[in-house]
Amino acid sequence: MSPLPWQTDRWRKLVELQDGGRLPHALLLSGPSGIGKQPLAEALIARTLCRDPGELACGECHSCRMLAAGYHPDLLTVMPAEKSRQIRVDAIRQVNGFVAQTAQQGGYRVIRIEPGEAMNVAASNALLKSLEEPGDRTLFILVSDTPSRLLATIRSRCQHWSLAVPPLEVAEPWLRERLGNGDEARFWLSVAGGLPLLAEELAGAEARQLRQDLRELFDALVRGGEPVGEAARLDAQSLDRILWYGIAWLEDLIRLGLSGDPSRVRNGDLLPLYRQAVKNARVRDWFRLLDYAREQRRLLAAGGNPNPQLVLEAWLVRWSALLRS
Ligand SMILES: [Zn+2]
């Protein structure tokens, strides 16, 4: 488990703090999805539990072997229960019990909570006590895409490490090695707004097909296609990704509409469609549609569980109304 190439500075700092005994007992690792929070968290968890760490966890000791085998008694991972998008209070009561015990391997106890913003209010309040009086040799790692959704009282008890989008000159070689093609790496990094793990995911066969389908749909709507009929061709299970693309493309349209500069768009292959769309609507209408899409995506993430097919249809009806106005 190694940190990613663009995390080297962060990693050195964490190692320095840890070796100096100055690592705080609670860290909040935040940054947009696809930036690589998990590899960083996992490298730190492994090094914290390792009996004989160097720059990284040794990979050989009993602790490292247990971790690699998928179970370590001094690591508690808390994630939303399957199908639920929330971390509830009973899961956090388990954390409090875990923190009250001594570590079985005589070292650290580590609690990973992910995503932190999935804790509901009762769960967050229950966690506060442990964050305030964690006891010795305890490390909390909260991982979050949107730390603003954590209770302020939780945030204030964690040291906040916010990960920034890596520079292209570091992200591009990493992705090129994985995709085996420099042009592809640049294209998908641009589509993903510079987020390397997201770019890798979007370049995968299935995700690539979804983007192709959406592009065809965009084209059909610009030419006056009927949105509900078009919606039926899409899989509503991909609603979150469909809205994500909708948001990214609207942001492109707004950038293009405001600046007139085609080099500022992330999806360069869509420029002919953007140019057509920009002719048909005003920038403030794009902003309204953008707010709508963000709100739908937020509701989806909060587990509001609306009917995805209906949300998809409503979304496409709004898109098409603007595209052909
Ligand atoms: Zn080890």
Side-chain angles (χ1 to χ4, degrees), residues 14 33 68 96-97 240 252 269 285 324:
L14 283 170
S33 176
N96 295 343
D240 181 64
D252 266 355
D269 59 326
D285 296 326
R324 33 178 190 184

Side-chain angles (χ1 to χ4, degrees), residues 59-206:
E60 299 292 329
C61 71
H62 185 54
S63 240
C64 283
R65 281 168 199 260
M66 277 194 289
L67 198 58
Y71 175 74
H72 194 296
D74 296 324
L75 171 63
L76 180 63
T77 301
V78 182
M79 290 184 178
E82 212 174 335
K83 292 200 177 169
S84 145
R85 297 188 189 234
Q86 285 197 343
I87 294 175
R88 295 178 198 282
V89 68
D90 37 330
I92 299 301
R93 288 206 185 101
Q94 226 186 317
V95 170
N96 295 343
F98 180 78
V99 171
Q101 298 161 8
T102 43
Q104 296 196 22
Q105 298 296 312
Y108 261 82
R109 286 159 305 178
V110 181
I111 303 94
R112 170 184 186 176
I113 301 178
E114 180 173 4
E117 64 269 31
M119 284 187 288
N120 63 21
V121 174
S124 299
N125 284 326
L127 183 66
L128 284 177
K129 190 176 175 306
S130 289
L131 284 179
E132 276 163 6
E133 300 164 13
D136 284 346
R137 293 157 87 73
T138 305
L139 176 63
F140 286 88
I141 300 180
L142 279 69
V143 182
S144 173
D145 292 354
T146 36
S148 60
R149 286 196 205 135
L150 284 161
L151 283 193
T153 44
I154 295 279
R155 276 201 310 273
S156 68
R157 282 164 180 81
C158 299
Q159 191 174 94
H160 191 171
W161 289 59
S162 165
L163 305 183
V165 176
L168 191 64
E169 62 268 26
V170 186
E172 201 237 58
W174 178 85
L175 190 61
R176 185 179 35 192
E177 195 178 310
R178 298 182 153 238
L179 302 182
N181 182 318
D183 289 342
E184 289 255 322
R186 274 187 299 281
F187 175 77
W188 289 107
L189 270 172
S190 176
V191 168
L195 297 165
L197 279 76
L198 178 61
E200 187 186 19
E201 182 193 323
L202 295 179
E206 203 173 315

